[in-house]
Amino acid sequence: MALPVDEWKSYLLQKWASLPKSIQVTISTAETLSDIFLHCSSLLGVSHSRPNTEDMSLCYANRSAALFHLGQYETCLKDIIRAQTHGYPERLQPKIMLRKAECLVALGRLQEASQTIGDLERNFTATPTLAHVPPQTLQRNLHHLKMEVQEKENLTETFPATLAKTLEDVALRGENEQLSNASSSVGLCIDPLKGRYLVATKDILPGELLVKEDAFVSVLNPGELPPPHHGLDSQWDTRVTNGDLYCHRCLKHTLATVPCDGCSYAKYCSQECLQQAWEHYHRTECPLGGLLLTLGVFCHIALRSTLVVGFEDVRKIVKKLCVKISNKDICLPESNNQVKTLNCGRGESEKNGNRVETPIPGCDANGKYDSNYNAVFNLLPHTENHSAEHKFLCAVCASVLCRQLEAASSQAIPRVSSSQFTAAATPELCPDVTIWGVAMLRHMLQLQCNAQAITTIQHTGSKGSIVTDSRQVRLATGIFPVISLLNHSCSPNTSVSFTSTVATIRASQRIGKGQEILHCYGPHKSRMGVAERQQKLRSQYFFDCTCPPCQTEAHRMAAGPRWKAFCCSSCRAPLQGDGVLRCGNRSCAESVVSRDDLVSRLQDLQQQVGVAQKLLRDGELERAVQLLSGCQRDAESFLWAEHAMVGEIADGLARACAALGDWQKSATHLQKSLRVVEVRHGPSSVEMGHELFKLAQIFFNGFAVPEALSTIQKAEEVLSLHCGPWDDEIQELQKMKSCLLDLPPTLVRSSV
């Protein structure tokens, strides 16, 4: 259905407004309003146009123009190829070939650029009427490009070698013969109470890589869908979600997605990812897209887990489960209570007075735990802990999926490829889909305790911002069989990071030989109090946490965490108590105060800070500074110096001052925020690393060379513990350090 021009522009502006701020900044600094319309419309058109049509080719060509304006030359070239593959009109070829030549020149691929320019000149000479560009303009542009190629060919400068290091170069230390995707410093054990868990087989240093595991399967989180309502949005969804910005297979961030030919939802970073997804699972999922979005991510993962393996392997594993159920002498994976002794590698149980070796669930016949479907199937479903309602709902979802698979088994799913029409049938199913139902139901029950959130660091900031801010966002959900073996602690000794679908676990502190390797399931001592943590762990993971922080905080629960504490308005000492608070300083004559009154005051302050942050995002910097300064004075009168809100206000003032170019004040405010972060999260936490990165940016931009170099070193040390040496922020820190070290000695001085 065609939209009037005004409504179409309104829709595109809404789509633009829903883009993440960081992308808005990138695009808006390089494009006019018409370019923004071009980029948004081509982004949508590519997903909804029919393949091998002029409409599709024009959408790719238009997107290539937007990418060229953004300086994304490699991606622009790929879209030019896609436009030509889908039948780009002959009459417009000179226009897109000229853009191709400009990209090649910008990338320094001069031989290819010269060949493209020559082809364009010959085609124009042979058929001048084909040029959709005025002849004089085309000739002028070609002449300019040839001159630019000659100038670059005459340059004698040597370009630095590109960093070839990637995540694959970060290798695990030693091969682990017992546990795949883990270093030789890690051992697998089993215990009657804790079940399977990982321990250090030797002393482990902070920052050491312990596990590097690719997800067995992962599914991109679609995000919250807006409620249906009347008007333009009822026909056109104006929100840009993760599905528009990340590959649905490898989770790579991209502005130029390649959509599935059969649906408008699945999008990929390349034709290769599209083809692999289609062959392994999407040919079955494609016609079920709407149903899978309705049933949710867990159902989607359950289905995909069986599809990537294939029916034969699923049948074999399910058959083993049926044998275990019928044989009372062999325990199910979740019935580890038969294991009587702790033993790394294999468990032992008592049978008729004799000690019998019991393989650890998920291991093969040789005792090796691989990151495969056998390990996935042996993750605990906790059937006895789930409510009857939850199990019924999972069973209904599995039944619905089985019905759809059964119906699709006799049908061919049409797929239009870039070159020909092909029909890909759903993988052969058994006459009785019970096997699929058993497997999918088990996976759905497993996921509540074993699904792993795949996160990414999203950088944010207002337009023109030099200092970036960042936050962790949930990108996808995946299954990692090895990482699922890690037990929880509210103060873990490891840190997890992600690159695409690969998770890496690093030691965040020294771990002694024989000590358990622990992971945080979400409830961390620096983010919530002990009561809230216990409630979340009990409701989702079915256990009461007895880690040291929980045991310690349980004895002083009334006091609450320091980052939530109030202070005495007279002597600044922390207030103590529950409903009625008293000053902890016995010599202070301050009377008691109601906690409810202080909470109400804090809520008012939070509202004011929210208004100031909106002013900051809108570029009203002076007003934001004025309001935040007032909030800071108010906060200091009743909040403890290490309260989280004190740090948030200081961080806002730092960003505002940086945007105004007042680097000295910005550094002062951020150092105050840094102290709050250190108290709450610890001096070696990843949160501390991100704050040090921001402080290094401020010192760098303020030309405070000694302070910048010192802060860069601290930030590198902290971030390397959690993210590894090829993290984006670490790479940026190294670039800043290289730039500063190249300065003449006379300029190396403190300026902030």
Side-chain angles (χ1 to χ4, degrees):
M1 183 185 69
L3 282 175
V5 173
D6 290 342
E7 289 189 24
W8 177 244
K9 286 187 176 181
S10 173
Y11 166 60
L12 291 178
L13 284 173
Q14 292 177 61
K15 198 77 175 176
W16 161 257
S18 69
L19 283 167
K21 288 289 183 183
S22 56
I23 296 177
Q24 283 191 27
V25 172
T26 304
I27 295 176
S28 63
T29 54
E31 297 182 344
T32 63
L33 186 60
S34 61
D35 292 323
I36 294 170
F37 287 152
L38 181 67
H39 182 78
C40 289
S41 59
S42 57
L43 176 72
L44 300 166
V46 164
S47 298
H48 295 280
S49 297
R50 292 184 180 276
N52 298 323
T53 62
E54 183 174 313
D55 286 344
M56 176 64 91
S57 70
L58 290 174
C59 286
Y60 276 124
N62 287 341
R63 194 171 72 181
S64 76
L67 291 165
F68 178 80
H69 284 296
L70 286 170
Q72 302 285 332
Y73 302 119
E74 289 282 6
T75 312
C76 176
L77 287 173
K78 292 178 182 178
D79 263 4
I80 290 173
I81 294 172
R82 291 165 187 150
Q84 293 173 326
T85 302
H86 284 273
Y88 192 67
E90 191 68 25
R91 69 183 185 279
L92 300 177
Q93 284 292 337
K95 186 176 181 180
I96 201 170
M97 293 297 288
L98 182 64
R99 186 177 304 140
K100 178 181 178 180
E102 290 174 322
C103 286
L104 292 170
V105 171
L107 291 169
R109 293 157 60 175
L110 304 182
Q111 186 175 354
E112 296 175 71
S114 297
Q115 183 178 347
T116 303
I117 293 170
D119 293 342
L120 188 52
E121 284 182 319
R122 285 189 292 272
N123 292 340
F124 176 64
T125 303
T127 319
T129 56
L130 287 179
H132 203 66
V133 182
Q136 298 84 356
T137 303
L138 181 60
Q139 290 175 350
R140 185 170 60 251
N141 288 339
L142 288 173
H143 176 73
H144 174 75
L145 280 174
K146 285 195 288 186
M147 293 294 293
E148 194 172 348
V149 169
Q150 290 176 1
E151 289 175 3
K152 289 197 172 187
E153 285 176 338
N154 294 331
L155 288 176
T156 57
E157 68 177 276
T158 303
F159 294 96
T162 304
L163 282 174
K165 294 290 186 180
T166 60
L167 180 69
E168 282 126 16
D169 297 314
V170 183
L172 292 164
R173 180 178 295 179
E175 182 180 357
N176 194 317
E177 297 180 355
Q178 181 196 19
L179 191 62
S180 68
N181 301 309
S183 79
S184 57
S185 304
V186 180
L188 172 60
C189 296
I190 190 166
D191 178 80
L193 297 178
K194 293 191 292 187
R196 298 166 293 181
Y197 64 100
L198 302 183
V199 298
T201 58
K202 59 186 74 170
D203 289 340
I204 296 173
L205 297 176
E208 184 176 333
L209 182 60
L210 304 178
V211 177
K212 187 178 76 172
E213 183 181 20
D214 198 353
F216 181 77
V217 292
S218 62
V219 171
L220 195 70
N221 287 352
E224 295 285 335
L225 295 177
H229 54 86
H230 299 290
L232 182 64
D233 287 352
S234 63
Q235 303 163 0
W236 302 88
D237 179 11
T238 61
R239 290 179 358 113
V240 172
T241 65
N242 288 339
D244 299 308
L245 302 172
Y246 292 89
C247 176
H248 285 224
R249 178 183 172 272
C250 71
L251 305 183
K252 177 183 176 182
H253 182 270
T254 177
L255 287 175
T257 54
V258 181
C260 168
D261 296 336
C263 65
S264 61
Y265 176 69
K267 306 177 185 73
Y268 305 93
C269 64
S270 64
Q271 190 69 29
E272 292 73 23
C273 266
L274 184 153
Q275 187 67 30
Q276 289 190 40
W278 180 264
E279 291 173 357
H280 288 114
Y281 52 81
H282 190 64
R283 61 176 176 172
T284 302
E285 294 178 356
C286 188
L288 304 178
L291 175 63
L292 291 171
L293 285 172
T294 301
L295 295 179
V297 171
F298 281 8
C299 289
H300 200 160
I301 292 176
L303 172 62
R304 187 171 293 182
S305 297
T306 59
L307 293 176
V308 298
V309 177
F311 171 71
E312 274 306 312
D313 286 341
V314 172
R315 184 186 63 80
K316 290 176 183 177
I317 299 294
V318 172
K319 187 177 180 181
K320 287 182 182 179
L321 175 68
C322 294
V323 171
K324 287 184 178 183
I325 292 175
S326 62
N327 189 344
K328 296 181 180 179
D329 293 332
I330 302 178
C331 64
L332 289 174
E334 58 265 38
S335 303
N336 289 327
N337 57 325
Q338 293 193 26
V339 180
K340 300 298 183 184
T341 60
L342 169 65
N343 185 28
C344 289
R346 302 177 79 86
E348 292 181 345
S349 62
E350 299 283 348
K351 184 178 180 181
N352 299 326
N354 299 318
R355 301 181 71 82
V356 180
E357 210 174 42
T358 305
I360 293 180
C363 293
D364 60 20
N366 298 318
K368 176 74 178 290
Y369 187 95
D370 278 312
S371 186
N372 56 20
Y373 187 67
N374 180 48
V376 171
F377 200 85
N378 279 278
L379 296 175
L380 301 187
H382 295 281
T383 309
E384 69 281 4
N385 297 118
H386 290 292
S387 67
E389 293 81 4
H390 178 73
K391 286 183 280 192
F392 175 76
L393 183 60
C394 289
V396 169
C397 292
S399 176
V400 170
L401 284 174
C402 285
R403 286 292 187 93
Q404 291 297 318
L405 289 170
E406 195 172 28
S409 63
S410 59
Q411 299 176 3
I413 304 171
R415 175 174 183 258
V416 182
S417 68
S418 57
S419 58
Q420 61 182 353
F421 181 88
T422 61
T426 302
E428 183 183 355
L429 304 178
C430 56
D432 182 5
V433 294
T434 304
I435 296 293
W436 290 101
V438 170
M440 287 190 293
L441 177 57
R442 182 177 179 87
H443 295 324
M444 278 186 269
L445 294 173
Q446 289 171 330
L447 286 167
Q448 179 169 318
C449 296
N450 292 287
Q452 172 67 51
I454 300 175
T455 61
T456 186
I457 299 297
Q458 188 178 88
H459 295 281
T460 59
S462 57
K463 181 177 177 179
S465 176
I466 299 176
V467 179
T468 61
D469 201 357
S470 61
R471 65 188 181 96
Q472 189 180 60
V473 295
R474 184 166 185 158
L475 178 61
T477 304
I479 299 179
F480 297 85
V482 175
I483 293 176
S484 292
L485 297 173
L486 291 165
N487 280 333
H488 167 82
S489 172
C490 298
S491 180
N493 50 22
T494 62
S495 181
V496 61
S497 61
F498 298 91
T499 301
S500 297
T501 58
V502 177
T504 56
I505 300 288
R506 294 180 179 275
S508 58
Q509 61 192 58
R510 186 186 178 280
I511 305 175
K513 180 179 179 180
Q515 186 178 347
E516 185 173 359
I517 300 170
L518 298 165
H519 174 49
C520 181
Y521 291 178
H524 196 283
K525 71 169 188 175
S526 67
R527 290 189 285 270
M528 57 186 72
V530 61
E532 186 180 0
R533 297 201 306 268
Q534 292 284 6
Q535 189 275 328
K536 286 184 176 294
L537 291 168
R538 194 177 298 116
S539 62
Q540 181 172 350
Y541 298 99
F542 312 119
F543 71 88
D544 294 316
C545 185
T546 57
C547 69
C550 285
Q551 292 179 330
T552 303
E553 291 177 41
H555 297 295
R556 52 182 179 85
M557 196 161 47
R562 295 161 66 184
W563 42 273
K564 286 186 177 182
F566 298 105
C567 74
C568 175
S569 58
S570 297
C571 68
R572 306 289 300 151
L575 296 177
Q576 298 176 353
D578 191 7
V580 177
L581 303 179
R582 293 177 174 81
C583 180
N585 183 4
R586 294 183 178 181
S587 61
C588 181
E590 184 69 19
S591 59
V592 298
V593 60
S594 168
R595 177 181 290 275
D596 291 341
D597 292 341
L598 293 178
V599 169
S600 176
R601 191 174 171 185
L602 176 60
Q603 290 171 345
D604 292 339
L605 179 63
Q606 289 171 331
Q607 186 176 5
Q608 289 298 308
V609 171
V611 173
Q613 289 173 338
K614 185 178 185 306
L615 291 173
L616 187 57
R617 289 192 299 270
D618 293 341
E620 298 186 50
L621 303 177
E622 289 83 0
R623 289 183 60 194
V625 169
Q626 185 178 7
L627 184 53
L628 285 170
S629 298
C631 290
Q632 189 176 57
R633 289 190 294 271
D634 187 22
E636 290 173 351
S637 67
F638 74 103
L639 297 180
W640 182 238
E642 297 160 356
H643 196 284
M645 180 54 62
V646 173
E648 186 177 341
I649 294 170
D651 184 80
L653 282 167
R655 287 188 286 121
C657 291
L660 290 168
D662 193 336
W663 304 109
Q664 185 173 2
K665 284 186 178 179
S666 179
T668 301
H669 288 303
L670 192 58
Q671 285 168 326
K672 181 179 290 187
S673 171
L674 204 65
R675 288 192 291 272
V676 176
V677 171
E678 181 175 2
V679 167
R680 180 175 179 181
H681 298 282
S684 299
S685 63
V686 67
E687 292 84 0
M688 189 69 173
H690 294 319
E691 288 297 302
L692 285 168
F693 174 74
K694 289 196 293 185
L695 185 60
Q697 287 181 308
I698 289 172
F699 283 139
F700 179 86
N701 287 289
F703 207 56
V705 179
E707 292 89 343
L709 288 172
S710 174
T711 307
I712 287 170
Q713 182 179 350
K714 293 177 184 177
E716 279 187 291
E717 291 173 355
V718 174
L719 288 173
S720 295
L721 297 178
H722 306 277
C723 310
W726 310 115
D727 175 71
D728 289 341
E729 289 187 348
I730 293 178
Q731 292 289 300
E732 182 67 24
L733 288 167
Q734 291 174 349
K735 290 177 183 177
M736 288 193 286
K737 180 167 65 176
S738 177
C739 178
L740 294 173
L741 292 175
D742 287 341
L743 292 174
T746 54
L747 296 178
V748 180
R749 57 184 176 82
S750 176
S751 299
V752 170

